[in-house]
Amino acid sequence: MASTTNKEAARPGGRSARVQQAVHEAVRTLQQEGRRDALSVPQIAELAGVTPSTIYRRWGNLAELLADVSLERLHLDTAPADTGSLAGDLQAWCEQYLEEMTSVPGRRGLDDIMASADDERRQRCRECSEAIMQTLRERALARGEVAPSVAVLMDTLIAPLTYHLLYTRGEIHPERLRGWITTALAACHAAHPPTPGSKFNPGELD
Amino acid sequence: MASTTNKEAARPGGRSARVQQAVHEAVRTLQQEGRRDALSVPQIAELAGVTPSTIYRRWGNLAELLADVSLERLHLDTAPADTGSLAGDLQAWCEQYLEEMTSVPGRRGLDDIMASADDERRQRCRECSEAIMQTLRERALARGEVAPSVAVLMDTLIAPLTYHLLYTRGEIHPERLRGWITTALAACHAAHPPTPGSKFNPGELD
DNA sequence: ACCTAAACGCAAAATATTTGCTTTTTGCTT
DNA sequence: AAGCAAAAAGCAAATATTTTGCGTTTAGGT
């Protein structure tokens, strides 16, 4: 009943992999075509050609299974565009992420992940966001830009973004996004005030 | 069968109220003494002296019931201390809130609320936080301090705080909190730059 | 006092979940 | 290449849960 997450099972052999794939696909199929309210383990098992007990033993319950499927989806969307500046990259990525997460399947995926009792999964989400911020930051530094630390980006960008996704249903204006980004970059510039004589400004903070 | 949340029922009469109270108390009791993993509707119903069907009809399922109970608890903790300055008030409240939410029951309560499918409940949480920020802000303005808008406080304080509560299990150093508060107030001061000739500088922090 | 609709209790029915046991499969070893 | 031990899956019975129909109680209004 515990936390048999999935991929890193002790024995991820052929059949196990096949079952996992079949079950995941069954979930996705039923989520697409079907009713959002009803979605049972026996139903998924039948479509996947698997016994319910298999699902229960591997995932524990429906919530964990749904969270697992949603997390897998979340991992795909990592392809930040290069707009030539950190501010632009952040804006572009946030807008794209926002659009994805306010869509019906996106919102449901987020809910499914939050509904899971396994907080290791939430950690993964955080790490995923951190990785993206890291990528954008390093790209900026390579350009010679000043860039806030990943921690600052998380606190000033990802955090409010996520907060709004979770706690309001209203849309977020790109204007608001721009404000957060400005704040993030301003905080960075404040920490390294542009001294008149300095040749360059290494982007370190924290 | 949908969202008979609770208090604002069309008929909140004596018996309904009594049942609600009994069920809520049963949940609290079982949560305290009992095992966190198992906690079933029939079990709660028995302790509350109520039929399971009553619970199912009123709350829909276990997750909604737990979220309902947790939300009620959350509403009690509103008593921000007055430390004499906005920075102090924010720091004090955040520390107290943090301690409460990182405790075992606090963390479980948060999880229960996030696990609920009803996003109206999350909205309530947000409104609760906004109300506290509003209180602190007005208190600061009454003192003659400069204070950021509630929106800014939400974005720079509540959002990162909540993000860490949800996405990491690690502790948050009060130092980190202080950093967020500084940022929030700094953003405010940037909007209202301290003119040299001004008699006093209200929102000075440490 | 009476009436109506909402809430509840009860119990049967329908579903979902757990569990014991057997069989298949996998990764490794000989 | 065959064999072995452990892991995972199937199957079916046993449990537990959720749903539902129907009669009864009760709150709120006329």
Side-chain angles (χ1 to χ4, degrees):
Chain A
M1 62 168 65
S3 55
T4 312
T5 323
N6 60 339
K7 331 202 158 187
E8 64 287 356
R11 205 167 201 171
R15 184 167 64 166
S16 292
R18 218 156 37 235
V19 166
Q20 151 140 355
Q21 183 184 335
V23 170
H24 274 221
E25 176 134 353
V27 169
R28 285 189 291 264
T29 300
L30 287 174
Q31 279 180 332
Q32 276 191 333
E33 62 179 42
R35 47 268 274 234
R36 3 320 265 88
D37 55 331
L39 184 55
S40 66
V41 171
Q43 190 183 3
I44 294 165
E46 186 181 87
L47 181 55
V50 159
T51 303
S53 64
T54 295
I55 293 182
Y56 287 117
R57 283 203 241 251
R58 273 189 69 160
W59 282 277
N61 55 44
L62 180 61
E64 293 302 314
L65 171 57
L66 295 184
D68 201 35
V69 173
S70 295
L71 184 61
E72 193 182 51
R73 276 210 164 165
L74 215 57
H75 272 296
L76 298 176
D77 65 333
T78 51
D82 192 331
T83 65
S85 74
L86 179 56
D89 283 4
L90 290 172
Q91 180 87 24
W93 181 82
C94 285
E95 283 181 11
Q96 173 257 333
Y97 180 69
L98 201 55
E99 186 174 324
E100 185 174 334
M101 294 311 260
T102 49
S103 71
V104 174
R107 173 165 285 279
R108 187 187 50 211
L110 194 57
D111 285 348
D112 287 345
I113 289 176
M114 297 312 288
S116 161
D118 179 17
D119 39 47
E120 194 179 325
R121 215 172 327 250
R122 294 188 197 167
Q123 307 257 102
R124 290 246 197 104
C125 286
R126 196 195 79 240
E127 287 163 11
C128 186
S129 297
E130 282 176 343
I132 292 169
M133 291 301 107
Q134 173 83 344
T135 299
L136 263 45
R137 178 182 133 92
E138 283 174 356
R139 190 188 286 171
L141 291 181
R143 286 197 203 97
E145 287 187 82
V146 176
S149 67
V150 170
V152 166
L153 289 173
M154 293 298 289
D155 287 346
T156 56
L157 251 191
I158 301 296
L161 188 54
T162 304
Y163 189 89
H164 278 265
L165 285 175
L166 292 176
Y167 287 90
T168 77
R169 62 160 156 244
E171 298 288 317
I172 304 180
H173 293 262
E175 196 58 35
R176 191 93 184 264
L177 269 183
R178 184 168 298 276
W180 294 336
I181 293 172
T182 301
T183 300
L185 300 185
C188 170
H189 290 161
H192 296 265
T195 43
S198 67
K199 287 194 194 161
F200 68 96
N201 215 338
E204 278 174 336
L205 184 73
D206 86 345
Chain B
M1 62 164 62
S3 57
T4 312
T5 324
N6 60 339
K7 330 203 159 187
E8 64 288 357
R11 205 166 201 173
R15 182 169 65 167
S16 292
R18 219 155 36 235
V19 166
Q20 151 142 354
Q21 183 184 336
V23 170
H24 274 220
E25 176 133 354
V27 169
R28 284 189 290 263
T29 300
L30 287 174
Q31 278 181 331
Q32 275 190 334
E33 62 178 42
R35 45 269 276 233
R36 3 318 269 92
D37 53 332
L39 183 55
S40 67
V41 170
Q43 190 184 4
I44 294 166
E46 187 182 86
L47 181 55
V50 158
T51 304
S53 63
T54 295
I55 293 183
Y56 286 117
R57 283 202 242 251
R58 272 190 70 159
W59 283 277
N61 55 43
L62 180 61
E64 293 301 315
L65 171 57
L66 295 184
D68 201 34
V69 172
S70 295
L71 184 61
E72 193 182 52
R73 278 209 162 165
L74 216 57
H75 273 295
L76 298 177
D77 67 333
T78 53
D82 191 332
T83 64
S85 74
L86 179 56
D89 284 4
L90 290 172
Q91 180 88 23
W93 181 82
C94 284
E95 285 181 9
Q96 173 259 332
Y97 180 69
L98 201 54
E99 186 174 324
E100 186 174 333
M101 295 312 260
T102 49
S103 71
V104 174
R107 175 167 283 280
R108 186 188 50 212
L110 193 57
D111 284 348
D112 287 345
I113 288 177
M114 297 311 290
S116 160
D118 178 17
D119 40 47
E120 193 178 326
R121 215 172 328 251
R122 294 188 196 167
Q123 308 255 103
R124 290 245 197 105
C125 287
R126 196 195 79 239
E127 286 163 12
C128 186
S129 298
E130 282 176 344
I132 291 169
M133 292 300 107
Q134 175 83 343
T135 298
L136 264 45
R137 178 183 133 92
E138 283 174 355
R139 191 188 284 171
L141 291 180
R143 287 198 203 98
E145 289 186 83
V146 176
S149 68
V150 170
V152 167
L153 290 173
M154 292 298 289
D155 287 345
T156 57
L157 252 191
I158 301 296
L161 188 54
T162 304
Y163 188 89
H164 278 264
L165 285 174
L166 292 177
Y167 287 91
T168 77
R169 60 157 154 248
E171 299 288 317
I172 305 181
H173 293 264
E175 195 58 36
R176 191 93 185 263
L177 269 182
R178 183 169 297 276
W180 293 337
I181 294 173
T182 302
T183 302
L185 300 185
C188 169
H189 289 160
H192 297 266
T195 44
S198 65
K199 288 193 196 162
F200 66 97
N201 208 338
E204 208 65 64
L205 61 146
D206 77 335

PDB file of all heavy atoms in Angstrom, chain B residues 24-44:
ATOM      1  N   HIS B  24     -18.010  16.835  12.736  1.00  0.00           N
ATOM      2  CA  HIS B  24     -16.742  17.554  12.791  1.00  0.00           C
ATOM      3  C   HIS B  24     -15.930  17.117  14.007  1.00  0.00           C
ATOM      4  O   HIS B  24     -14.733  16.852  13.905  1.00  0.00           O
ATOM      5  CB  HIS B  24     -16.988  19.062  12.843  1.00  0.00           C
ATOM      6  CG  HIS B  24     -17.156  19.686  11.504  1.00  0.00           C
ATOM      7  ND1 HIS B  24     -16.629  20.914  11.173  1.00  0.00           N
ATOM      8  CD2 HIS B  24     -17.787  19.253  10.397  1.00  0.00           C
ATOM      9  CE1 HIS B  24     -16.926  21.207   9.913  1.00  0.00           C
ATOM     10  NE2 HIS B  24     -17.642  20.218   9.429  1.00  0.00           N
ATOM     11  N   GLU B  25     -16.608  17.036  15.127  1.00  0.00           N
ATOM     12  CA  GLU B  25     -15.893  16.643  16.338  1.00  0.00           C
ATOM     13  C   GLU B  25     -15.366  15.222  16.242  1.00  0.00           C
ATOM     14  O   GLU B  25     -14.258  14.937  16.683  1.00  0.00           O
ATOM     15  CB  GLU B  25     -16.822  16.773  17.557  1.00  0.00           C
ATOM     16  CG  GLU B  25     -16.168  16.285  18.828  1.00  0.00           C
ATOM     17  CD  GLU B  25     -16.361  17.258  19.965  1.00  0.00           C
ATOM     18  OE1 GLU B  25     -16.898  18.361  19.732  1.00  0.00           O
ATOM     19  OE2 GLU B  25     -15.975  16.908  21.094  1.00  0.00           O
ATOM     20  N   ALA B  26     -16.158  14.358  15.636  1.00  0.00           N
ATOM     21  CA  ALA B  26     -15.702  12.978  15.458  1.00  0.00           C
ATOM     22  C   ALA B  26     -14.430  12.940  14.614  1.00  0.00           C
ATOM     23  O   ALA B  26     -13.477  12.228  14.939  1.00  0.00           O
ATOM     24  CB  ALA B  26     -16.805  12.151  14.796  1.00  0.00           C
ATOM     25  N   VAL B  27     -14.422  13.727  13.572  1.00  0.00           N
ATOM     26  CA  VAL B  27     -13.231  13.774  12.726  1.00  0.00           C
ATOM     27  C   VAL B  27     -12.029  14.252  13.536  1.00  0.00           C
ATOM     28  O   VAL B  27     -10.957  13.643  13.500  1.00  0.00           O
ATOM     29  CB  VAL B  27     -13.444  14.717  11.527  1.00  0.00           C
ATOM     30  CG1 VAL B  27     -12.132  14.985  10.807  1.00  0.00           C
ATOM     31  CG2 VAL B  27     -14.457  14.125  10.568  1.00  0.00           C
ATOM     32  N   ARG B  28     -12.210  15.320  14.260  1.00  0.00           N
ATOM     33  CA  ARG B  28     -11.097  15.853  15.048  1.00  0.00           C
ATOM     34  C   ARG B  28     -10.583  14.821  16.050  1.00  0.00           C
ATOM     35  O   ARG B  28      -9.384  14.617  16.201  1.00  0.00           O
ATOM     36  CB  ARG B  28     -11.529  17.131  15.771  1.00  0.00           C
ATOM     37  CG  ARG B  28     -11.615  18.338  14.847  1.00  0.00           C
ATOM     38  CD  ARG B  28     -11.830  19.607  15.647  1.00  0.00           C
ATOM     39  NE  ARG B  28     -13.159  19.665  16.253  1.00  0.00           N
ATOM     40  CZ  ARG B  28     -14.195  20.310  15.727  1.00  0.00           C
ATOM     41  NH1 ARG B  28     -14.051  20.950  14.595  1.00  0.00           N
ATOM     42  NH2 ARG B  28     -15.360  20.303  16.332  1.00  0.00           N
ATOM     43  N   THR B  29     -11.509  14.177  16.695  1.00  0.00           N
ATOM     44  CA  THR B  29     -11.113  13.170  17.683  1.00  0.00           C
ATOM     45  C   THR B  29     -10.312  12.048  17.043  1.00  0.00           C
ATOM     46  O   THR B  29      -9.222  11.691  17.501  1.00  0.00           O
ATOM     47  CB  THR B  29     -12.357  12.568  18.361  1.00  0.00           C
ATOM     48  OG1 THR B  29     -13.083  13.611  19.016  1.00  0.00           O
ATOM     49  CG2 THR B  29     -11.948  11.519  19.382  1.00  0.00           C
ATOM     50  N   LEU B  30     -10.833  11.523  15.968  1.00  0.00           N
ATOM     51  CA  LEU B  30     -10.155  10.413  15.311  1.00  0.00           C
ATOM     52  C   LEU B  30      -8.799  10.845  14.752  1.00  0.00           C
ATOM     53  O   LEU B  30      -7.850  10.059  14.728  1.00  0.00           O
ATOM     54  CB  LEU B  30     -11.033   9.852  14.195  1.00  0.00           C
ATOM     55  CG  LEU B  30     -12.244   9.053  14.680  1.00  0.00           C
ATOM     56  CD1 LEU B  30     -13.136   8.666  13.518  1.00  0.00           C
ATOM     57  CD2 LEU B  30     -11.783   7.807  15.426  1.00  0.00           C
ATOM     58  N   GLN B  31      -8.718  12.079  14.304  1.00  0.00           N
ATOM     59  CA  GLN B  31      -7.441  12.557  13.778  1.00  0.00           C
ATOM     60  C   GLN B  31      -6.406  12.652  14.883  1.00  0.00           C
ATOM     61  O   GLN B  31      -5.244  12.325  14.677  1.00  0.00           O
ATOM     62  CB  GLN B  31      -7.623  13.927  13.122  1.00  0.00           C
ATOM     63  CG  GLN B  31      -8.142  13.845  11.705  1.00  0.00           C
ATOM     64  CD  GLN B  31      -8.288  15.199  11.075  1.00  0.00           C
ATOM     65  OE1 GLN B  31      -8.534  16.191  11.763  1.00  0.00           O
ATOM     66  NE2 GLN B  31      -8.169  15.260   9.768  1.00  0.00           N
ATOM     67  N   GLN B  32      -6.848  13.104  16.036  1.00  0.00           N
ATOM     68  CA  GLN B  32      -5.909  13.231  17.148  1.00  0.00           C
ATOM     69  C   GLN B  32      -5.377  11.884  17.593  1.00  0.00           C
ATOM     70  O   GLN B  32      -4.204  11.592  17.486  1.00  0.00           O
ATOM     71  CB  GLN B  32      -6.604  13.907  18.341  1.00  0.00           C
ATOM     72  CG  GLN B  32      -6.588  15.410  18.278  1.00  0.00           C
ATOM     73  CD  GLN B  32      -7.070  15.996  19.574  1.00  0.00           C
ATOM     74  OE1 GLN B  32      -7.834  15.363  20.295  1.00  0.00           O
ATOM     75  NE2 GLN B  32      -6.645  17.200  19.870  1.00  0.00           N
ATOM     76  N   GLU B  33      -6.293  11.066  18.067  1.00  0.00           N
ATOM     77  CA  GLU B  33      -5.860   9.821  18.679  1.00  0.00           C
ATOM     78  C   GLU B  33      -5.445   8.765  17.665  1.00  0.00           C
ATOM     79  O   GLU B  33      -4.586   7.954  17.932  1.00  0.00           O
ATOM     80  CB  GLU B  33      -6.975   9.256  19.552  1.00  0.00           C
ATOM     81  CG  GLU B  33      -8.238   8.927  18.767  1.00  0.00           C
ATOM     82  CD  GLU B  33      -9.290   8.320  19.694  1.00  0.00           C
ATOM     83  OE1 GLU B  33      -9.459   8.813  20.816  1.00  0.00           O
ATOM     84  OE2 GLU B  33      -9.942   7.355  19.272  1.00  0.00           O
ATOM     85  N   GLY B  34      -6.073   8.813  16.521  1.00  0.00           N
ATOM     86  CA  GLY B  34      -5.993   7.670  15.616  1.00  0.00           C
ATOM     87  C   GLY B  34      -4.823   7.678  14.677  1.00  0.00           C
ATOM     88  O   GLY B  34      -3.897   8.473  14.752  1.00  0.00           O
ATOM     89  N   ARG B  35      -4.901   6.747  13.774  1.00  0.00           N
ATOM     90  CA  ARG B  35      -3.905   6.588  12.735  1.00  0.00           C
ATOM     91  C   ARG B  35      -4.244   7.511  11.580  1.00  0.00           C
ATOM     92  O   ARG B  35      -5.394   7.614  11.161  1.00  0.00           O
ATOM     93  CB  ARG B  35      -3.887   5.147  12.244  1.00  0.00           C
ATOM     94  CG  ARG B  35      -5.284   4.575  12.016  1.00  0.00           C
ATOM     95  CD  ARG B  35      -5.829   3.898  13.235  1.00  0.00           C
ATOM     96  NE  ARG B  35      -5.349   2.542  13.289  1.00  0.00           N
ATOM     97  CZ  ARG B  35      -6.129   1.477  13.415  1.00  0.00           C
ATOM     98  NH1 ARG B  35      -7.418   1.627  13.537  1.00  0.00           N
ATOM     99  NH2 ARG B  35      -5.615   0.279  13.444  1.00  0.00           N
ATOM    100  N   ARG B  36      -3.213   8.137  11.037  1.00  0.00           N
ATOM    101  CA  ARG B  36      -3.443   9.078   9.944  1.00  0.00           C
ATOM    102  C   ARG B  36      -3.862   8.360   8.665  1.00  0.00           C
ATOM    103  O   ARG B  36      -4.601   8.919   7.865  1.00  0.00           O
ATOM    104  CB  ARG B  36      -2.234   9.932   9.623  1.00  0.00           C
ATOM    105  CG  ARG B  36      -0.925   9.827  10.252  1.00  0.00           C
ATOM    106  CD  ARG B  36      -0.601   9.623  11.709  1.00  0.00           C
ATOM    107  NE  ARG B  36      -0.399  10.735  12.596  1.00  0.00           N
ATOM    108  CZ  ARG B  36      -1.414  11.252  13.309  1.00  0.00           C
ATOM    109  NH1 ARG B  36      -2.636  10.834  13.140  1.00  0.00           N
ATOM    110  NH2 ARG B  36      -1.201  12.195  14.174  1.00  0.00           N
ATOM    111  N   ASP B  37      -3.393   7.162   8.474  1.00  0.00           N
ATOM    112  CA  ASP B  37      -3.641   6.487   7.194  1.00  0.00           C
ATOM    113  C   ASP B  37      -5.107   6.087   7.031  1.00  0.00           C
ATOM    114  O   ASP B  37      -5.760   6.448   6.075  1.00  0.00           O
ATOM    115  CB  ASP B  37      -2.726   5.273   7.052  1.00  0.00           C
ATOM    116  CG  ASP B  37      -2.839   4.355   8.264  1.00  0.00           C
ATOM    117  OD1 ASP B  37      -3.146   4.875   9.348  1.00  0.00           O
ATOM    118  OD2 ASP B  37      -2.639   3.150   8.121  1.00  0.00           O
ATOM    119  N   ALA B  38      -5.586   5.317   8.008  1.00  0.00           N
ATOM    120  CA  ALA B  38      -6.969   4.881   7.911  1.00  0.00           C
ATOM    121  C   ALA B  38      -7.872   5.888   8.598  1.00  0.00           C
ATOM    122  O   ALA B  38      -7.593   6.340   9.696  1.00  0.00           O
ATOM    123  CB  ALA B  38      -7.119   3.505   8.548  1.00  0.00           C
ATOM    124  N   LEU B  39      -8.926   6.229   7.955  1.00  0.00           N
ATOM    125  CA  LEU B  39      -9.903   7.168   8.523  1.00  0.00           C
ATOM    126  C   LEU B  39     -11.078   7.149   7.571  1.00  0.00           C
ATOM    127  O   LEU B  39     -11.095   7.867   6.594  1.00  0.00           O
ATOM    128  CB  LEU B  39      -9.302   8.570   8.634  1.00  0.00           C
ATOM    129  CG  LEU B  39     -10.182   9.637   9.281  1.00  0.00           C
ATOM    130  CD1 LEU B  39     -10.645   9.211  10.641  1.00  0.00           C
ATOM    131  CD2 LEU B  39      -9.418  10.955   9.372  1.00  0.00           C
ATOM    132  N   SER B  40     -12.035   6.301   7.878  1.00  0.00           N
ATOM    133  CA  SER B  40     -13.101   6.066   6.912  1.00  0.00           C
ATOM    134  C   SER B  40     -14.390   6.769   7.301  1.00  0.00           C
ATOM    135  O   SER B  40     -14.611   7.108   8.471  1.00  0.00           O
ATOM    136  CB  SER B  40     -13.359   4.564   6.808  1.00  0.00           C
ATOM    137  OG  SER B  40     -13.889   4.083   8.024  1.00  0.00           O
ATOM    138  N   VAL B  41     -15.232   6.952   6.343  1.00  0.00           N
ATOM    139  CA  VAL B  41     -16.528   7.569   6.568  1.00  0.00           C
ATOM    140  C   VAL B  41     -17.372   6.760   7.548  1.00  0.00           C
ATOM    141  O   VAL B  41     -17.925   7.331   8.485  1.00  0.00           O
ATOM    142  CB  VAL B  41     -17.262   7.771   5.233  1.00  0.00           C
ATOM    143  CG1 VAL B  41     -18.696   8.194   5.471  1.00  0.00           C
ATOM    144  CG2 VAL B  41     -16.538   8.800   4.385  1.00  0.00           C
ATOM    145  N   PRO B  42     -17.487   5.451   7.383  1.00  0.00           N
ATOM    146  CA  PRO B  42     -18.271   4.670   8.344  1.00  0.00           C
ATOM    147  C   PRO B  42     -17.744   4.827   9.769  1.00  0.00           C
ATOM    148  O   PRO B  42     -18.523   4.912  10.726  1.00  0.00           O
ATOM    149  CB  PRO B  42     -18.084   3.235   7.842  1.00  0.00           C
ATOM    150  CG  PRO B  42     -17.846   3.371   6.393  1.00  0.00           C
ATOM    151  CD  PRO B  42     -17.063   4.631   6.230  1.00  0.00           C
ATOM    152  N   GLN B  43     -16.437   4.869   9.893  1.00  0.00           N
ATOM    153  CA  GLN B  43     -15.821   5.028  11.198  1.00  0.00           C
ATOM    154  C   GLN B  43     -16.227   6.360  11.836  1.00  0.00           C
ATOM    155  O   GLN B  43     -16.624   6.415  13.005  1.00  0.00           O
ATOM    156  CB  GLN B  43     -14.307   4.988  10.989  1.00  0.00           C
ATOM    157  CG  GLN B  43     -13.478   4.896  12.244  1.00  0.00           C
ATOM    158  CD  GLN B  43     -11.985   4.962  11.906  1.00  0.00           C
ATOM    159  OE1 GLN B  43     -11.614   5.141  10.745  1.00  0.00           O
ATOM    160  NE2 GLN B  43     -11.152   4.815  12.915  1.00  0.00           N
ATOM    161  N   ILE B  44     -16.124   7.408  11.075  1.00  0.00           N
ATOM    162  CA  ILE B  44     -16.505   8.733  11.560  1.00  0.00           C
ATOM    163  C   ILE B  44     -17.989   8.754  11.911  1.00  0.00           C
ATOM    164  O   ILE B  44     -18.395   9.274  12.952  1.00  0.00           O
ATOM    165  CB  ILE B  44     -16.205   9.793  10.483  1.00  0.00           C
ATOM    166  CG1 ILE B  44     -14.705   9.902  10.264  1.00  0.00           C
ATOM    167  CG2 ILE B  44     -16.793  11.140  10.889  1.00  0.00           C
ATOM    168  CD1 ILE B  44     -14.330  10.647   9.010  1.00  0.00           C
TER     169      ILE B  44
END
